Amino acid sequence: MNLIMQLLAEMGADTSSAITVCPCGYVYIKGVKGVARLSSEGITLICGKNQISVTGTNLAVAEYFQGDIIIKGDVSGVQIEKSL
């Protein structure tokens, strides 16, 4: 397991974050530091040096606790962008 974490760190991955997209209409994101945008068509989250945008329809935050968030709705996309 240490090898995987070392490789991720060398590639610039934030190992304290994780994204899981479930086909039943849920997205789980770990390592959320804040919410930049919140609407039923898009939710943008701040995760370390990245911004993660979830797009779709009927989006809502199902749970948000200690940096973990679950978004439910008809998810059409997830995009990761480097923050400046």
Side-chain angles (χ1 to χ4, degrees):
M1 190 68 160
N2 288 336
L3 177 61
I4 293 171
M5 298 302 271
Q6 181 182 351
L7 290 172
L8 289 171
E10 287 178 8
M11 290 187 296
D14 184 353
T15 56
S16 64
S17 298
I19 301 171
T20 304
V21 180
C22 302
C24 58
Y26 286 91
V27 177
Y28 166 76
I29 302 173
K30 176 182 175 185
V32 175
K33 304 295 183 197
V35 178
R37 176 178 165 233
L38 181 64
S39 76
S40 63
E41 285 98 29
I43 298 174
T44 302
L45 307 167
I46 301 166
C47 298
K49 296 179 182 177
N50 298 317
Q51 284 192 357
I52 300 173
S53 296
V54 179
T55 55
T57 56
N58 301 317
L59 299 178
V61 174
E63 291 187 40
Y64 184 33
F65 181 71
Q66 293 184 345
D68 292 357
I69 194 167
I70 297 175
I71 298 170
K72 67 177 182 175
D74 300 318
V75 177
S76 61
V78 177
Q79 183 177 355
I80 302 170
E81 297 179 18
K82 287 278 187 195
S83 297
L84 297 176

Coordinates of all heavy atoms in Angstrom, one line a residue:
M1 N 0.8 -1.2 0.0 CA 0.0 0.0 0.0 C 0.9 1.3 0.0 O 0.5 2.2 -0.6 CB -0.9 0.0 1.2 CG -2.0 1.0 1.2 SD -3.1 0.7 -0.1 CE -4.5 1.7 0.4
N2 N 2.0 1.2 0.7 CA 2.9 2.4 0.7 C 3.4 2.7 -0.7 O 3.6 3.9 -1.0 CB 4.0 2.2 1.6 CG 3.6 2.2 3.1 OD1 2.6 2.8 3.4 ND2 4.3 1.6 4.0
L3 N 3.6 1.7 -1.5 CA 4.1 2.0 -2.9 C 3.0 2.7 -3.7 O 3.4 3.7 -4.4 CB 4.4 0.6 -3.6 CG 4.8 0.8 -5.1 CD1 6.1 1.6 -5.2 CD2 5.0 -0.6 -5.7
I4 N 1.8 2.4 -3.5 CA 0.7 3.1 -4.2 C 0.6 4.5 -3.8 O 0.5 5.4 -4.6 CB -0.7 2.4 -4.0 CG1 -0.6 1.0 -4.7 CG2 -1.8 3.2 -4.6 CD1 -1.8 0.1 -4.4
M5 N 0.7 4.7 -2.5 CA 0.6 6.1 -2.0 C 1.8 6.9 -2.5 O 1.7 8.1 -2.8 CB 0.6 6.1 -0.4 CG -0.7 5.4 0.1 SD -2.2 6.2 -0.5 CE -2.4 7.4 0.8
Q6 N 3.0 6.3 -2.5 CA 4.2 7.0 -3.0 C 4.1 7.3 -4.5 O 4.4 8.5 -4.9 CB 5.4 6.1 -2.8 CG 6.7 6.8 -3.2 CD 7.9 5.8 -3.1 OE1 7.9 4.8 -2.4 NE2 9.1 6.3 -3.6
L7 N 3.6 6.4 -5.3 CA 3.4 6.7 -6.7 C 2.4 7.8 -6.9 O 2.6 8.7 -7.7 CB 2.9 5.4 -7.4 CG 3.9 4.3 -7.6 CD1 3.3 3.1 -8.2 CD2 5.1 4.8 -8.5
L8 N 1.3 7.8 -6.2 CA 0.3 8.9 -6.3 C 0.9 10.2 -5.9 O 0.6 11.2 -6.6 CB -0.9 8.5 -5.4 CG -1.8 7.4 -5.9 CD1 -2.9 7.1 -4.8 CD2 -2.5 7.7 -7.2
A9 N 1.6 10.2 -4.8 CA 2.3 11.5 -4.4 C 3.3 12.0 -5.4 O 3.3 13.2 -5.7 CB 3.0 11.3 -3.1
E10 N 4.0 11.1 -6.1 CA 5.0 11.5 -7.1 C 4.3 12.1 -8.3 O 4.8 12.9 -9.0 CB 5.9 10.4 -7.4 CG 6.9 10.1 -6.3 CD 7.8 8.9 -6.7 OE1 7.7 8.3 -7.8 OE2 8.5 8.4 -5.7
M11 N 3.1 11.6 -8.6 CA 2.3 12.0 -9.8 C 1.6 13.3 -9.5 O 0.9 13.9 -10.3 CB 1.4 10.9 -10.3 CG 2.1 9.8 -10.9 SD 1.0 8.6 -11.7 CE 0.1 8.0 -10.2
G12 N 1.6 13.8 -8.2 CA 0.9 15.0 -7.8 C -0.5 14.8 -7.3 O -1.2 15.8 -7.2
A13 N -0.9 13.6 -7.1 CA -2.2 13.3 -6.6 C -2.4 13.7 -5.1 O -1.4 13.6 -4.4 CB -2.6 11.8 -6.7
D14 N -3.5 14.2 -4.8 CA -3.8 14.5 -3.4 C -4.4 13.2 -2.7 O -5.5 12.9 -2.9 CB -4.8 15.6 -3.3 CG -5.1 16.1 -1.9 OD1 -4.6 15.4 -1.0 OD2 -5.8 17.1 -1.7
T15 N -3.5 12.5 -2.0 CA -3.9 11.2 -1.4 C -4.9 11.3 -0.3 O -5.4 10.3 0.1 CB -2.7 10.5 -1.0 OG1 -2.0 11.3 0.0 CG2 -1.8 10.1 -2.1
S16 N -5.3 12.5 0.1 CA -6.3 12.7 1.2 C -7.7 12.9 0.6 O -8.6 13.0 1.3 CB -6.0 13.9 2.1 OG -6.0 15.1 1.3
S17 N -7.8 12.9 -0.8 CA -9.0 13.0 -1.5 C -9.4 11.8 -2.2 O -8.5 11.0 -2.6 CB -9.0 14.2 -2.5 OG -8.7 15.4 -1.8
A18 N -10.6 11.5 -2.4 CA -11.1 10.4 -3.2 C -12.5 10.8 -3.8 O -13.2 11.5 -3.2 CB -11.3 9.2 -2.4
I19 N -12.8 10.2 -5.0 CA -14.0 10.5 -5.7 C -14.6 9.1 -6.1 O -13.9 8.3 -6.7 CB -13.9 11.4 -6.9 CG1 -13.3 12.7 -6.6 CG2 -15.2 11.5 -7.6 CD1 -12.9 13.5 -7.8
T20 N -15.8 8.9 -5.7 CA -16.5 7.6 -6.1 C -17.8 8.0 -6.8 O -18.6 8.7 -6.1 CB -16.8 6.7 -4.9 OG1 -15.5 6.4 -4.3 CG2 -17.4 5.4 -5.4
V21 N -18.1 7.6 -8.0 CA -19.3 7.9 -8.7 C -20.1 6.5 -8.7 O -19.6 5.6 -9.3 CB -19.1 8.4 -10.1 CG1 -20.4 8.7 -10.8 CG2 -18.3 9.7 -10.0
C22 N -21.3 6.5 -8.2 CA -22.1 5.3 -8.2 C -23.2 5.5 -9.3 O -23.8 6.5 -9.4 CB -22.8 5.2 -6.8 SG -21.7 5.0 -5.5
P23 N -23.4 4.4 -10.0 CA -24.4 4.5 -11.2 C -25.8 4.8 -10.7 O -26.6 5.1 -11.5 CB -24.3 3.2 -11.9 CG -23.6 2.3 -10.9 CD -22.8 3.1 -9.9
C24 N -26.1 4.6 -9.4 CA -27.5 4.8 -9.0 C -27.8 6.3 -8.6 O -28.8 6.6 -8.0 CB -27.8 4.0 -7.7 SG -26.6 4.3 -6.4
G25 N -26.9 7.2 -9.0 CA -27.1 8.6 -8.8 C -26.5 9.3 -7.6 O -27.0 10.3 -7.1
Y26 N -25.4 8.7 -7.1 CA -24.7 9.3 -6.0 C -23.3 9.5 -6.3 O -22.6 8.7 -7.1 CB -24.8 8.4 -4.8 CG -26.2 8.3 -4.1 CD1 -27.1 7.4 -4.5 CD2 -26.5 9.2 -3.1 CE1 -28.4 7.4 -3.9 CE2 -27.7 9.2 -2.5 CZ -28.6 8.3 -2.9 OH -29.9 8.3 -2.3
V27 N -22.7 10.6 -5.8 CA -21.2 10.8 -5.9 C -20.7 11.1 -4.5 O -21.3 11.8 -3.7 CB -20.9 12.1 -6.7 CG1 -19.5 12.4 -6.7 CG2 -21.5 11.9 -8.1
Y28 N -19.7 10.3 -4.1 CA -19.0 10.5 -2.8 C -17.7 11.1 -3.0 O -16.9 10.7 -3.8 CB -18.9 9.1 -2.1 CG -17.9 9.1 -0.9 CD1 -18.3 9.7 0.3 CD2 -16.6 8.6 -1.0 CE1 -17.5 9.7 1.4 CE2 -15.8 8.7 0.0 CZ -16.2 9.2 1.2 OH -15.3 9.2 2.3
I29 N -17.4 12.2 -2.3 CA -16.1 12.9 -2.4 C -15.5 13.0 -1.0 O -16.2 13.5 -0.1 CB -16.3 14.2 -3.1 CG1 -16.9 14.0 -4.5 CG2 -14.9 15.0 -3.2 CD1 -17.2 15.3 -5.2
K30 N -14.3 12.7 -0.8 CA -13.6 12.7 0.5 C -12.6 13.9 0.4 O -12.0 14.1 -0.7 CB -12.9 11.4 0.7 CG -12.0 11.4 1.9 CD -11.3 10.1 2.1 CE -10.3 10.2 3.3 NZ -9.5 9.0 3.4
G31 N -12.3 14.6 1.4 CA -11.3 15.6 1.5 C -11.8 17.0 1.1 O -11.1 17.9 0.6
V32 N -13.1 17.2 1.2 CA -13.7 18.5 0.9 C -13.4 19.6 1.9 O -13.6 19.4 3.1 CB -15.3 18.4 0.7 CG1 -15.9 19.7 0.4 CG2 -15.6 17.4 -0.4
K33 N -12.9 20.7 1.4 CA -12.5 21.8 2.3 C -13.6 22.9 2.3 O -13.7 23.7 3.3 CB -11.2 22.4 1.9 CG -10.0 21.4 1.9 CD -9.7 20.9 3.2 CE -8.5 20.0 3.1 NZ -8.3 19.1 4.3
G34 N -14.4 23.0 1.3 CA -15.4 24.0 1.2 C -16.3 23.8 0.0 O -15.9 23.1 -0.9
V35 N -17.4 24.6 -0.1 CA -18.3 24.6 -1.2 C -18.2 25.9 -1.9 O -18.4 27.0 -1.2 CB -19.7 24.3 -0.7 CG1 -20.7 24.3 -1.9 CG2 -19.8 22.9 0.0
A36 N -17.9 25.9 -3.2 CA -17.8 27.2 -3.9 C -19.1 27.5 -4.6 O -19.4 28.7 -4.8 CB -16.6 27.1 -4.9
R37 N -19.8 26.5 -5.0 CA -21.1 26.7 -5.8 C -22.0 25.6 -5.4 O -21.6 24.5 -5.3 CB -20.8 26.7 -7.3 CG -22.0 26.9 -8.2 CD -21.6 26.9 -9.6 NE -22.8 26.7 -10.4 CZ -22.9 25.7 -11.4 NH1 -21.9 25.0 -11.6 NH2 -24.0 25.6 -12.0
L38 N -23.3 26.0 -5.3 CA -24.3 25.0 -4.9 C -25.6 25.4 -5.6 O -26.2 26.4 -5.3 CB -24.5 25.0 -3.4 CG -25.5 24.0 -2.8 CD1 -25.1 22.6 -3.1 CD2 -25.7 24.2 -1.4
S39 N -26.0 24.5 -6.6 CA -27.3 24.7 -7.3 C -27.8 23.3 -7.7 O -27.0 22.3 -7.6 CB -27.2 25.6 -8.5 OG -26.6 24.9 -9.6
S40 N -29.0 23.2 -8.2 CA -29.5 21.9 -8.6 C -28.9 21.4 -9.9 O -29.1 20.3 -10.2 CB -31.1 22.0 -8.7 OG -31.4 22.9 -9.7
E41 N -28.2 22.3 -10.6 CA -27.5 21.9 -11.9 C -26.0 21.7 -11.7 O -25.4 21.2 -12.6 CB -27.8 22.9 -13.0 CG -29.2 22.8 -13.5 CD -30.1 23.8 -12.9 OE1 -29.6 24.9 -12.5 OE2 -31.3 23.5 -12.8
G42 N -25.5 22.2 -10.6 CA -24.0 22.1 -10.5 C -23.6 22.4 -9.0 O -24.1 23.3 -8.4
I43 N -22.6 21.6 -8.6 CA -22.0 21.8 -7.3 C -20.5 21.8 -7.5 O -19.9 20.8 -8.1 CB -22.4 20.7 -6.3 CG1 -24.0 20.7 -6.1 CG2 -21.7 20.8 -5.0 CD1 -24.5 19.6 -5.3
T44 N -19.8 22.8 -7.0 CA -18.4 22.9 -7.1 C -17.8 22.9 -5.7 O -18.2 23.7 -4.8 CB -18.0 24.2 -7.8 OG1 -18.6 24.2 -9.1 CG2 -16.5 24.3 -8.0
L45 N -16.8 22.0 -5.5 CA -16.2 21.8 -4.2 C -14.8 22.2 -4.2 O -14.1 22.0 -5.2 CB -16.4 20.4 -3.8 CG -17.8 19.9 -3.8 CD1 -17.9 18.4 -3.7 CD2 -18.7 20.5 -2.7
I46 N -14.2 22.7 -3.1 CA -12.8 22.9 -3.0 C -12.2 21.8 -2.2 O -12.6 21.4 -1.1 CB -12.5 24.3 -2.3 CG1 -13.2 25.4 -3.0 CG2 -11.0 24.5 -2.0 CD1 -13.3 26.7 -2.3
C47 N -11.2 21.1 -2.9 CA -10.6 19.9 -2.3 C -9.1 20.1 -2.4 O -8.5 19.8 -3.4 CB -11.0 18.7 -3.0 SG -12.7 18.3 -2.8
G48 N -8.4 20.6 -1.4 CA -7.0 20.9 -1.4 C -6.7 21.9 -2.5 O -7.2 23.0 -2.5
K49 N -5.8 21.5 -3.5 CA -5.4 22.3 -4.6 C -6.3 22.2 -5.8 O -6.1 22.7 -6.8 CB -4.0 22.0 -5.0 CG -3.0 22.3 -3.9 CD -1.6 21.9 -4.3 CE -0.6 22.1 -3.2 NZ 0.8 21.7 -3.6
N50 N -7.4 21.5 -5.6 CA -8.3 21.2 -6.8 C -9.7 21.7 -6.5 O -10.1 21.9 -5.3 CB -8.4 19.7 -7.0 CG -7.1 19.1 -7.4 OD1 -6.3 19.7 -8.2 ND2 -6.8 18.0 -6.9
Q51 N -10.4 22.0 -7.6 CA -11.9 22.2 -7.5 C -12.5 21.1 -8.3 O -12.1 20.7 -9.4 CB -12.2 23.6 -8.2 CG -11.9 24.7 -7.3 CD -12.5 26.0 -7.9 OE1 -13.2 26.0 -8.9 NE2 -12.3 27.1 -7.2
I52 N -13.5 20.5 -7.6 CA -14.3 19.4 -8.3 C -15.7 19.9 -8.5 O -16.4 20.3 -7.6 CB -14.3 18.2 -7.3 CG1 -12.8 17.7 -7.1 CG2 -15.1 17.1 -8.0 CD1 -12.7 16.6 -6.1
S53 N -16.1 19.8 -9.8 CA -17.4 20.2 -10.2 C -18.2 19.0 -10.6 O -17.8 18.2 -11.4 CB -17.3 21.2 -11.4 OG -16.7 22.4 -11.0
V54 N -19.4 18.9 -10.0 CA -20.4 17.9 -10.3 C -21.5 18.5 -11.1 O -22.1 19.5 -10.6 CB -20.9 17.1 -9.1 CG1 -21.9 16.1 -9.4 CG2 -19.7 16.6 -8.3
T55 N -21.8 18.1 -12.3 CA -22.9 18.7 -13.0 C -24.0 17.6 -13.3 O -23.8 16.4 -13.2 CB -22.4 19.2 -14.4 OG1 -21.8 18.1 -15.1 CG2 -21.4 20.3 -14.2
G56 N -25.2 18.1 -13.5 CA -26.4 17.3 -13.8 C -27.7 18.0 -13.5 O -27.7 19.2 -13.6
T57 N -28.7 17.3 -13.1 CA -30.0 17.8 -12.8 C -30.4 17.3 -11.4 O -30.1 16.2 -11.0 CB -31.0 17.5 -13.9 OG1 -31.1 16.1 -14.0 CG2 -30.7 18.2 -15.2
N58 N -31.3 18.0 -10.8 CA -31.8 17.6 -9.5 C -30.7 17.3 -8.4 O -30.9 16.4 -7.6 CB -32.8 16.5 -9.6 CG -33.9 16.8 -10.5 OD1 -34.5 17.8 -10.4 ND2 -34.3 15.9 -11.4
L59 N -29.6 18.0 -8.5 CA -28.5 17.7 -7.6 C -28.8 18.3 -6.2 O -29.3 19.4 -6.1 CB -27.2 18.3 -8.1 CG -26.7 17.8 -9.5 CD1 -25.4 18.5 -9.9 CD2 -26.5 16.2 -9.4
A60 N -28.4 17.6 -5.2 CA -28.5 18.0 -3.8 C -27.5 17.3 -2.9 O -27.0 16.2 -3.3 CB -29.9 17.7 -3.3
V61 N -27.1 18.0 -1.9 CA -26.2 17.4 -0.9 C -27.0 16.5 0.0 O -27.9 17.0 0.7 CB -25.5 18.5 -0.1 CG1 -24.6 17.9 1.0 CG2 -24.6 19.3 -1.0
A62 N -26.7 15.2 0.0 CA -27.4 14.2 0.8 C -26.8 14.2 2.2 O -27.5 14.2 3.2 CB -27.3 12.8 0.2
E63 N -25.4 14.3 2.3 CA -24.7 14.3 3.6 C -23.4 15.1 3.4 O -22.8 15.0 2.4 CB -24.4 12.9 4.1 CG -25.6 12.1 4.5 CD -25.2 10.8 5.1 OE1 -24.3 10.7 5.9 OE2 -25.9 9.8 4.9
Y64 N -23.0 15.8 4.5 CA -21.7 16.5 4.5 C -21.2 16.5 5.9 O -21.8 17.1 6.8 CB -21.9 17.9 4.0 CG -20.7 18.8 3.9 CD1 -19.4 18.2 3.5 CD2 -20.7 20.1 4.1 CE1 -18.3 19.0 3.4 CE2 -19.6 20.9 3.9 CZ -18.4 20.3 3.6 OH -17.3 21.1 3.5
F65 N -20.2 15.8 6.2 CA -19.7 15.6 7.5 C -18.2 15.4 7.5 O -17.7 14.5 6.8 CB -20.4 14.4 8.2 CG -19.9 14.2 9.6 CD1 -20.3 15.1 10.6 CD2 -19.2 13.1 10.0 CE1 -20.0 14.9 11.9 CE2 -18.8 12.9 11.3 CZ -19.2 13.8 12.3
Q66 N -17.4 16.2 8.2 CA -16.0 16.1 8.4 C -15.2 15.9 7.1 O -14.4 15.1 7.0 CB -15.7 15.0 9.4 CG -16.1 15.3 10.8 CD -15.7 14.3 11.8 OE1 -15.3 13.2 11.4 NE2 -15.8 14.6 13.1
G67 N -15.5 16.7 6.1 CA -14.8 16.7 4.8 C -15.3 15.6 3.9 O -14.8 15.5 2.8
D68 N -16.3 14.8 4.2 CA -16.9 13.9 3.3 C -18.3 14.4 2.9 O -19.0 14.9 3.7 CB -17.1 12.5 4.0 CG -15.7 11.8 4.3 OD1 -14.7 12.4 4.0 OD2 -15.8 10.8 4.9
I69 N -18.5 14.2 1.6 CA -19.8 14.7 1.1 C -20.4 13.7 0.1 O -19.7 13.0 -0.6 CB -19.7 16.1 0.3 CG1 -21.0 16.8 0.1 CG2 -18.9 15.9 -1.0 CD1 -20.9 18.2 -0.3
I70 N -21.7 13.5 0.2 CA -22.5 12.7 -0.7 C -23.5 13.6 -1.5 O -24.3 14.3 -0.9 CB -23.2 11.6 0.0 CG1 -22.2 10.6 0.7 CG2 -24.1 10.8 -1.0 CD1 -22.8 9.6 1.6
I71 N -23.3 13.6 -2.8 CA -24.2 14.3 -3.7 C -25.2 13.3 -4.4 O -24.7 12.3 -4.9 CB -23.4 15.1 -4.7 CG1 -22.5 16.1 -4.0 CG2 -24.3 15.8 -5.7 CD1 -21.5 16.8 -4.8
K72 N -26.4 13.6 -4.4 CA -27.4 12.8 -5.1 C -28.1 13.6 -6.2 O -28.1 14.8 -6.1 CB -28.4 12.2 -4.1 CG -29.4 13.3 -3.5 CD -30.4 12.7 -2.6 CE -31.3 13.7 -2.1 NZ -32.4 13.2 -1.3
G73 N -28.5 12.8 -7.2 CA -29.2 13.5 -8.3 C -28.9 12.8 -9.6 O -28.3 11.7 -9.6
D74 N -29.3 13.3 -10.7 CA -29.0 12.8 -12.0 C -27.7 13.4 -12.5 O -27.6 14.5 -13.1 CB -30.1 13.1 -13.0 CG -31.4 12.6 -12.6 OD1 -31.5 11.4 -12.1 OD2 -32.5 13.3 -12.7
V75 N -26.6 12.7 -12.1 CA -25.2 13.2 -12.4 C -24.8 13.0 -13.9 O -25.0 11.8 -14.4 CB -24.2 12.5 -11.5 CG1 -22.8 13.0 -11.8 CG2 -24.5 12.8 -10.0
S76 N -24.4 14.0 -14.6 CA -24.0 13.9 -15.9 C -22.5 14.0 -16.1 O -21.9 13.6 -17.1 CB -24.7 14.9 -16.8 OG -24.4 16.2 -16.4
G77 N -21.8 14.6 -15.1 CA -20.4 14.7 -15.2 C -19.7 15.2 -13.9 O -20.3 15.7 -13.1
V78 N -18.4 14.8 -13.9 CA -17.5 15.2 -12.8 C -16.2 15.7 -13.4 O -15.6 15.0 -14.2 CB -17.2 14.0 -11.8 CG1 -16.3 14.5 -10.7 CG2 -18.5 13.5 -11.2
Q79 N -15.8 16.9 -13.0 CA -14.6 17.5 -13.6 C -13.7 18.0 -12.5 O -14.2 18.6 -11.5 CB -15.0 18.7 -14.5 CG -13.8 19.4 -15.2 CD -14.3 20.5 -16.1 OE1 -15.5 20.7 -16.3 NE2 -13.3 21.2 -16.7
I80 N -12.4 17.8 -12.6 CA -11.4 18.2 -11.6 C -10.6 19.3 -12.3 O -10.0 19.1 -13.4 CB -10.6 17.0 -11.2 CG1 -11.4 15.9 -10.6 CG2 -9.5 17.5 -10.2 CD1 -10.7 14.6 -10.4
E81 N -10.4 20.4 -11.6 CA -9.6 21.5 -12.1 C -8.6 21.9 -11.0 O -9.0 22.0 -9.9 CB -10.5 22.7 -12.5 CG -11.4 22.5 -13.6 CD -12.3 23.7 -13.9 OE1 -11.9 24.8 -13.5 OE2 -13.4 23.5 -14.5
K82 N -7.4 22.2 -11.5 CA -6.4 22.8 -10.5 C -6.8 24.2 -10.1 O -7.1 25.0 -11.0 CB -5.0 22.8 -11.2 CG -4.4 21.4 -11.4 CD -3.8 21.0 -10.1 CE -3.0 19.7 -10.3 NZ -2.6 19.1 -9.1
S83 N -6.7 24.5 -8.8 CA -6.9 25.8 -8.3 C -5.6 26.6 -8.4 O -4.6 26.0 -8.3 CB -7.4 25.8 -6.9 OG -8.6 25.1 -6.8
L84 N -5.8 27.9 -8.5 CA -4.6 28.7 -8.6 C -4.2 29.2 -7.2 O -4.9 29.2 -6.3 CB -4.8 30.0 -9.4 CG -5.1 29.6 -10.9 CD1 -5.4 30.9 -11.7 CD2 -3.9 29.0 -11.6

